[in-house]
Amino acid sequence: MNPKIDDWVGKRVWMIGASTGIGEAAARLLLDMGARVAFSARSADKLERAVAAAPRALALPLDVTDHASVMAARDALVAAWGGVDLVLIVAGGYNEMRADGIDLAAANSMIDLNVRGAFNCLDAALPLLIAQGAGGIGIVASVAGYGGLPKALVYGATKAALINLTESLYLDLRPRGIAVYQINPGFVDTPLTANNDFTMPALMTAEDAAFEMVDGIERGQFHIHFPKRLTNSMRVARLLPYRLYFWLIHKVTGL
Ligand SMILES: NC(=O)c1ccc[n+]([C@@H]2O[C@H](COP(=O)([O-])OP(=O)(O)OC[C@H]3O[C@@H](n4cnc5c(N)ncnc54)[C@H](OP(=O)(O)O)[C@@H]3O)[C@@H](O)[C@H]2O)c1
């Protein structure tokens, strides 16, 4: 559904959310494969450490909830490299929330980070990609966006929004020569999941998640999801009538 990528050498990648977890692992993997990688996130110290010994890397600190900082990072990237071949929006956050403990401030800040943050990045990246008529953009959503889940009252809604968003982006951008990737991880062992108090099925390392993400992009997939044994079960569950879906989720999660 997107062009295949056979060779990363010299490719200019902007990894937004590259200081820890999946984004950091993917940024390092792409650097190892010969790409030029701009590392973005809020933690400037971690970004500087990541790029210190990497001549093909740039540190571009930003806060995705601060539009001006995203635009400034985009301008710095263009000044350094003249353009971009792949933008990956990985930055995101998770707070457990259920209906009997709604916390509006936490809900709004998750929406600001996961949804408005993605739009701030799109506002910076899309005019550039469209002017180039080439390149690609990927957004990391989640298997939690496939269907409602307990403890994901707000997180799931933000990720469902991103899934829908990537579909619209694909329709608009693919005919203009731009690749679009929807990336849905299952459970990955990162700081984001470190406080989960339940057994995470099919938990994978950030390095394995990064490999799956990059492999899907290389193959030209639109819908990149992993690990398959979890994501495919969720996709099948989503096809069930609601009565069965809700029964199954209660039974599997015990919640
Ligand atoms: N781990 C999982 O099981 C899992 C499953 C499905 C989907 N995901 C998604 O995968 C993505 C990466 O998650 P992860 O597990 O790798 O978590 P993580 O290790 O906590 O990484 C999150 C990244 O986002 C950055 N970030 C957070 N807030 C930001 C902000 N306001 N501006 C700029 N960057 C910001 C963080 O850097 P700073 O703190 O330095 O800014 C960090 O680089 C998220 O979108 C998450 O929802 C994760």
Side-chain angles (χ1 to χ4, degrees), residues 164-201:
N164 187 295
L165 171 60
T166 55
E167 293 168 0
S168 297
L169 286 173
Y170 187 88
L171 290 166
D172 286 349
L173 295 177
R174 194 65 209 99
R176 305 184 73 148
I178 297 156
V180 178
Y181 309 97
Q182 178 196 110
I183 301 150
N184 296 325
F187 291 106
V188 185
D189 187 10
T190 69
L192 182 130
T193 51
N195 295 326
N196 282 353
D197 61 357
F198 53 91
T199 305
M200 292 179 271

Side-chain angles (χ1 to χ4, degrees), residues 82-108:
V84 68
D85 299 301
L86 176 64
V87 180
L88 288 171
I89 303 171
V90 189
Y94 167 76
N95 279 328
E96 177 181 317
M97 203 182 296
R98 300 201 71 184
D100 57 1
I102 189 152
D103 174 341
L104 189 59
N108 282 333

Side-chain angles (χ1 to χ4, degrees), residues 16-24 40-44 46-47 62-66 89-94 113-114 140-144 155 159 162 183-193 196 200 203 206:
I16 302 173
S19 63
T20 60
I22 302 168
E24 182 193 11
S40 284
R42 290 167 304 175
S43 310
K46 287 186 188 145
L47 303 181
L62 55 73
D63 182 335
V64 295
T65 67
D66 173 4
I89 303 171
V90 189
Y94 167 76
L113 171 55
N114 292 354
V140 174
S142 169
V143 67
Y155 183 75
K159 294 300 184 176
L162 295 181
I183 301 150
N184 296 325
F187 291 106
V188 185
D189 187 10
T190 69
L192 182 130
T193 51
N196 282 353
M200 292 179 271
L203 183 68

